[in-house]
Structure formats: structure tokens, C-alpha cells
């Protein structure tokens, strides 16, 4: 009886929950620690909690939590100040289409700064297997291959900035270095470009490493300086058509490519840069298992300690569709293969490709565009790879290897607007918001002359793909 009496005098004998006494700011902090489904379950408990869980303030914080601070730029326009944060979150989460448009180009002031008797090119010429990066508010294009199998050694820069609409002005940077090449890699680390390898028009493979620094001056315009990086005597074997990406603020990862005598490689290397970016040290990473040898594939850092490898062409000239995750957590390196059933993906049989692009977009997903299949049919499709469920498995402890995803990894996106034609060995990069993808060049189908047997030409147009269709 005494126990019954004590129980009837508890503070919650009126049927209220202990959670109802928690201050709203503390509840707010708790909600930010929960996954979405738990937040929605919490919302149905009572009207007070529903008002909190559907508040614009909470959803703004959830957008920043899941998509990063760059998401705030999406509502910076005065016309969109009233855009609900919950709707914005939903639009990013349920992204199913992109909008494409061809960008207009203007002539640089002064005719490009050229002189002499030759005609000065005002725009980058059509090319493929070049590099295209977004750094310090600028698009930077270097090298590539063009008609006749010739390499290019030119560098072009176009300032995008914050008020960009639809017109870009390319500026040619005359530096004389690096030497001409195609199939090289170029990644952004600490607002600098790190370029490695490539192939010249004599077929010679390179294994040199360069640092590029882009600076935007109010008075002098845009400058770009290249310098050869001192990396010591231990370097990866020469190669081109490999894949590369940054894995943190001072390290770059490369894998595979075409080495000497046309042999496809399957090795993994990491370049660690000194704090001032004046020195570098290469280290080969040997693990088991690891991705088979290939070329024309992609490496993309997806956040934290993880990088995704996708596709390419294998040793037997087969075109691949496998996905591997490179994980650097817990103080050691490892490759983990991510398994999925191609037959269960709508239009999934079109996924295998080589010469595509893969970029991290807002929402922590990979946007994959273009490429070609084993019959050299060039693609114009956009696919989104969502590995959030896999990264959760990786963070939960020691995962199996390979990992089989139980959720839907792939989704083909619809494209609207002025869609680029099918292409391969183009290049693409995203701006810091993760919402705008720039695509330049590549090999496209089309006969320049009826007698031309190959049906191949190079493209020189620049496209903008908007990943977030704002209302």
C-alpha cells in the first residue's frame, strides 16, 4: 500500500510525460541529434511538439546539419527570403531532376592580349581528357587532347563569382608550363591546384606533380602560376587516364590509369603535401582487397574519411560498373567494395561506363554524368548515387567486405532545358554550394564530313547544370 501511495504522488501522476517539462531550447538541441524518421515520430506526440518540429528555425538548422553551411546561399536572393526551409530540405532530399543550359561566352578585353601575325583564339578550343576545376571563384581549364591526337598545353581561367548569371569570359593564361598533355588529373587542395601525370602526343606517360595558384586581383584581373612540386625520389609510375581526388586538406589519392606500353594499372598512391605546399611525399597503399586494374574511372571524396571509386575500363577492355569505397578512418587505409543488384535498378543495365564524370553535390550524393559503354556509345544521362546508408554501416564498427547495401543506392535523374548531347572524357566540376555543375568539352558523336569514318569529334561548349530546382 505504501508503494501505491508513493506512486500516486509523483510529479507525472496527471498523465503528462517527463519530456514535456524539458525547456524548448533543450528539446531543439535533442532534435538536431535525431534522424529524420525519429523527428517525424516525435512530431505526432502532441500539438506542442508538432509546432516545434515543423518550425522554420528547426528546418534551417537541419538543412545546415545535413547539407552544410553552403545551403544558406540558396536563400540569399531577396526573392527567396520566404522560401520555407522544410520545403528546401525536401527538395534536396527528393532531388529527381536537373536543369541544363548552354552558357554564353564573351571575348576578353583587348582581344585576349595577343599580338603578332597569328590569329588569337578567344575561347578554349574543343578538347577531351583535359582538366576543369572550380577554385577561388574561378573555372580553370588546362590541357587535353584535340583533333589529330594532338595534346594541348594551354591554361584558361573564367571568373564566376557570386553574381554570375549566364555569361562567362575566358582569359588565356600564358605560362609555358606544365608541358602539354591529356589524361592527367588535377584536384583542388587548400585553394590550390595539384596536377599529376598525363600523356603527350608522342604517347609518353608523365609522372610529374605541379602546384597551381589562382589569384583574383581587383586591379590586375586573374593570375595563375604553376610550379613543379619537389616530391623526392619515390613517385608513382608514369600514367594517364587515371583517377584522382583530394582526401583532406593536404593529401591527394590516385588510382589506376594507363601506364607504360599501354598496360592498365591497379595501384593506389597517396600524396601528402607539406603545410606550405612546397614539398610532397608519395606513398603507395597496398591493401587487400582492392579495385582491379582500370582506366577512365572516377574518384570522388564524399565527406569525412571516405572516397568513392566508380566504373572505368578493365584489363580485358570491358566497361565496369563496380563501386568501391576508400576509407581512411581508424588510422589505416582500406578498400571496401559496395555490392548492389544491377537488375533491380530501373534502367540499371545502362550504368556501366568509362570516361564519365562524378561530382559530390549538395546532400552528400554523387552526380554521375555521361561516359561511354563497351560499344563506345556515348551517354547523356545523369545518375545519382546515394551511399548514406553505406557510410552509416562503415561508421558503426568493422564492416564486412564487401558490403551489400539493403537500400536503394542509384537513381536516374530527369534532365530538362538545353541538354548536352552524349559525350565521354569531358570534365565537370561543382561550385562550393554543390548545386551548380559545370561541364566542358569531351568526345561527342557526329560527322564533320560524310566521308569521315570514325564519326567522332571534340566539343568546346560549356554547360551549366543546376541541381536544385528552386520554386
Amino acid at each position: 500500500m505504501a508503494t501505491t501511495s508513493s506512486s500516486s504522488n509523483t510529479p507525472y501522476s496527471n498523465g503528462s510525460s517527463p519530456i514535456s517539462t524539458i525547456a524548448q531550447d533543450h528539446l531543439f538541441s535533442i532534435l538536431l541529434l535525431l534522424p529524420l524518421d525519429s523527428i517525424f515520430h516525435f512530431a505526432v506526440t502532441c500539438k506542442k511538439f508538432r509546432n516545434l518540429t515543423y518550425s522554420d528555425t528547426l528546418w534551417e538548422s537541419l538543412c545546415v546539419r545535413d547539407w552544410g553551411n553552403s545551403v544558406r546561399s540558396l536563400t540569399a536572393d531577396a526573392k527567396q527570403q520566404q522560401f520555407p526551409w522544410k520545403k528546401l530540405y525536401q527538395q534536396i532530399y527528393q532531388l529527381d531532376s536537373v536543369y541544363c543550359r548552354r552558357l554564353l561566352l564573351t571575348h576578353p578585353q583587348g582581344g585576349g592580349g595577343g599580338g603578332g601575325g597569328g590569329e588569337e583564339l578567344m575561347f578554349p578550343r574543343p578538347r577531351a581528357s583535359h582538366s576543369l576545376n572550380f577554385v577561388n571563384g574561378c573555372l580553370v581549364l588546362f590541357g587535353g587532347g584535340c583533333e589529330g591526337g594532338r595534346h594541348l598545353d594551354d591554361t584558361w581561367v573564367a571568373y564566376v563569382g557570386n553574381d554570375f548569371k549566364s555569361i562567362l569570359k575566358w582569359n588565356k593564361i600564358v605560362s609555358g608550363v606544365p608541358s602539354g598533355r591529356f589524361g592527367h588529373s588535377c584536384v583542388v587542395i587548400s585553394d590550390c591546384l595539384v596536377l599529376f601525370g598525363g600523356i603527350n602526343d608522342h604517347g609518353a606517360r608523365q609522372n610529374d606533380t605541379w602546384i597551381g595558384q589562382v589569384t583574383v586581383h581587383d586591379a590586375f584581373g586573374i593570375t595563375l602560376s604553376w610550379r613543379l612540386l619537389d616530391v623526392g625520389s619515390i613517385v608513382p609510375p608514369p600514367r594517364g587516364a587515371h583517377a584522382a581526388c583530394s582526401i583532406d586538406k593536404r593529401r591527394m589519392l590516385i588510382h589506376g590509369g594507363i601506364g607504360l606500353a599501354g598496360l592498365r594499372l591497379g595501384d593506389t598512391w597517396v600524396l601528402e603535401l607539406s603545410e606550405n605546399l612546397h614539398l610532397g611525399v608519395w606513398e603507395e597503399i597496398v591493401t587487400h582487397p582492392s579495385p582491379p586494374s582500370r582506366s577512365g574511372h572516377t574518384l570522388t571524396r564524399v565527406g569525412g574519411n571516405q572516397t568513392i571509386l566508380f566504373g572505368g575500363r578493365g584489363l580485358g577492355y570491358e566497361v565496369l560498373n563496380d563501386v568501391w569505397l576508400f576509407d581512411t578512418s581508424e588510422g589505416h587505409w582500406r578498400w571496401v567494395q559496395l555490392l548492389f543488384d544491377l537488375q533491380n535498378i530501373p534502367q540499371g543495365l545502362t550504368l556501366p561506363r568509362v570516361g564519365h564524370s562524378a561530382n559530390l553535390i549538395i546532400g552528400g550524393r554523387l552526380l554521375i554524368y555521361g561516359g561511354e559503354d563497351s560499344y563506345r556509345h556515348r551517354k547523356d544521362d545523369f545518375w545519382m548515387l546515394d551511399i548514406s546508408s553505406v557510410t552509416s554501416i562503415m561508421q558503426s564498427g568493422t564492416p564486412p567486405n564487401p558490403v551489400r547495401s539493403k537500400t536503394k543506392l542509384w537513381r536516374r535523374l530527369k534532365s530538362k532545358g538545353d541538354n548536352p548531347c552524349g559525350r565521354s572524357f569531358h570534365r565537370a566540376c561543382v561550385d562550393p554550394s554543390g548545386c551548380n555543375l559545370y561541364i566542358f568539352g569531351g568526345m561527342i558523336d557526329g560527322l564533320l564530313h560524310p566521308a569521315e569514318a570514325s564519326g567522332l569529334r571534340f566539343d568546346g561548349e560549356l554547360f551549366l547544370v543546376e541541381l536544385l530546382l528552386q520554386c
Side-chain angles (χ1 to χ4, degrees):
M1 294 294 292
T3 302
T4 304
S5 175
S6 174
S7 175
S8 64
N9 292 328
T10 61
Y12 313 111
S13 56
N14 59 0
S16 64
S17 168
I19 199 172
S20 63
T21 64
I22 299 178
Q24 183 162 308
D25 57 337
H26 291 167
L27 280 177
F28 191 93
S29 300
I30 293 172
L31 289 175
L32 289 179
L33 300 174
L34 301 178
L36 280 186
D37 54 351
S38 298
I39 292 175
F40 286 120
H41 289 150
F42 184 76
V44 301
T45 56
C46 72
K47 183 177 181 180
K48 172 185 174 182
F49 296 155
R50 178 180 174 83
N51 291 338
L52 174 61
T53 53
Y54 281 81
S55 68
D56 212 44
T57 303
L58 175 66
W59 283 96
E60 178 182 0
S61 297
L62 288 172
C63 281
V64 172
R65 181 195 75 175
D66 292 346
W67 318 134
N69 276 312
S70 60
V71 75
R72 297 187 190 277
S73 64
L74 302 178
T75 59
D77 194 316
K79 295 180 181 179
Q80 299 175 11
Q81 287 295 327
Q82 302 303 315
F83 194 82
W85 282 98
K86 183 175 181 294
K87 189 173 184 179
L88 179 63
Y89 190 104
Q90 182 180 28
Q91 193 174 51
I92 297 173
Y93 186 77
Q94 298 178 342
L95 177 68
D96 65 352
S97 57
V98 296
Y99 186 84
C100 309
R101 54 191 173 111
R102 182 182 284 104
L103 296 182
L104 302 176
L105 306 175
T106 64
H107 291 266
Q109 293 291 333
E119 181 180 353
E120 183 76 13
L121 285 173
M122 297 296 103
F123 315 116
R125 68 174 60 193
R127 67 191 68 202
S129 298
H130 47 288
S131 57
L132 181 72
N133 301 92
F134 196 103
V135 57
N136 284 343
C138 298
L139 290 175
V140 180
L141 183 153
F142 171 76
C146 62
E147 299 286 351
R150 300 187 306 275
H151 67 235
L152 296 166
D153 61 358
D154 51 348
T155 302
W156 295 80
V157 179
Y159 181 68
V160 176
N162 297 322
D163 56 353
F164 167 72
K165 297 301 179 185
S166 60
I167 300 177
L168 274 181
K169 179 175 71 176
W170 283 110
N171 295 275
K172 188 174 183 179
I173 306 296
V174 180
S175 64
V177 291
S179 60
R181 64 192 69 198
F182 57 88
H184 55 282
S185 60
C186 190
V187 308
V188 177
I189 297 181
S190 298
D191 290 333
C192 287
L193 299 171
V194 183
L195 183 148
F196 172 77
I199 307 171
N200 66 21
D201 52 14
H202 300 294
R205 274 64 169 168
Q206 317 283 339
N207 64 346
D208 48 351
T209 308
W210 293 80
I211 297 288
Q213 177 69 59
V214 180
T215 307
V216 180
H217 307 273
D218 291 336
F220 306 106
I222 303 170
T223 62
L224 188 152
S225 60
W226 290 102
R227 57 180 170 82
L228 186 64
L229 183 69
D230 182 359
V231 295
S233 59
I234 299 176
V235 293
R239 70 192 65 208
H242 53 283
C245 72
S246 62
I247 55 176
D248 59 30
K249 293 182 179 179
R250 287 172 50 191
R251 291 185 294 186
M252 177 176 75
L253 173 73
I254 71 166
H255 175 271
I258 302 177
L260 301 176
L263 178 67
R264 283 180 172 79
L265 306 172
D267 52 348
T268 302
W269 290 77
V270 169
L271 171 68
E272 182 165 358
L273 297 164
S274 63
E275 190 171 349
N276 59 8
L277 304 185
H278 281 234
L279 300 172
V281 176
W282 282 103
E283 177 188 0
E284 184 174 9
I285 308 301
V286 180
T287 64
H288 182 78
S290 62
S293 300
R294 67 190 67 206
S295 64
H297 51 304
T298 52
L299 279 173
T300 314
R301 184 187 178 194
V302 292
N305 301 308
Q306 296 169 340
T307 298
I308 289 293
L309 179 152
F310 171 68
R313 191 183 299 277
L315 275 176
Y317 218 63
E318 73 280 14
V319 173
L320 306 169
N321 65 279
D322 52 342
V323 177
W324 291 77
L325 186 146
F326 186 70
D327 183 47
T328 63
S329 60
E330 301 179 5
H332 62 272
W333 321 94
R334 59 177 170 172
W335 282 106
V336 178
Q337 186 175 9
L338 310 183
L339 299 181
F340 55 91
D341 294 320
L342 201 64
Q343 301 285 346
N344 295 335
I345 302 172
Q347 303 180 40
L349 294 179
T350 65
L351 264 178
R353 63 194 62 212
V354 58
H356 53 283
S357 58
N359 297 90
L360 182 67
I361 61 172
I362 193 167
R365 280 80 62 91
L366 234 59
L367 183 68
I368 292 167
Y369 166 71
E372 60 184 51
D373 62 18
S374 57
Y375 300 100
R376 300 212 167 187
H377 297 151
R378 289 169 183 87
K379 300 173 180 291
D380 63 354
D381 50 351
F382 292 88
W383 285 85
M384 190 168 68
L385 173 62
D386 186 353
I387 64 158
S388 56
S389 62
V390 176
T391 55
S392 298
I393 295 174
M394 297 295 294
Q395 294 167 359
S396 64
T398 303
N401 195 355
V403 171
R404 178 171 292 278
S405 174
K406 297 181 180 180
T407 61
K408 187 177 180 181
L409 291 178
W410 292 96
R411 184 195 311 169
R412 183 168 177 172
L413 303 183
K414 295 174 286 187
S415 58
K416 304 175 182 179
D418 191 3
N419 298 332
C421 62
R423 65 194 60 221
S424 59
F425 298 97
H426 57 283
R427 293 297 181 260
C429 61
V430 295
D431 68 1
S433 75
C435 296
N436 299 302
L437 178 81
Y438 295 88
I439 299 172
F440 182 86
M443 294 188 294
I444 61 177
D445 295 321
L447 295 176
L448 291 177
H449 306 287
E452 188 176 355
S454 65
L456 167 68
R457 63 186 176 96
F458 293 81
D459 188 58
E461 292 190 298
L462 180 65
F463 289 86
L464 172 63
V465 179
E466 296 173 291
L467 308 177
L468 189 63
L469 307 179
Q470 301 184 30
C471 300

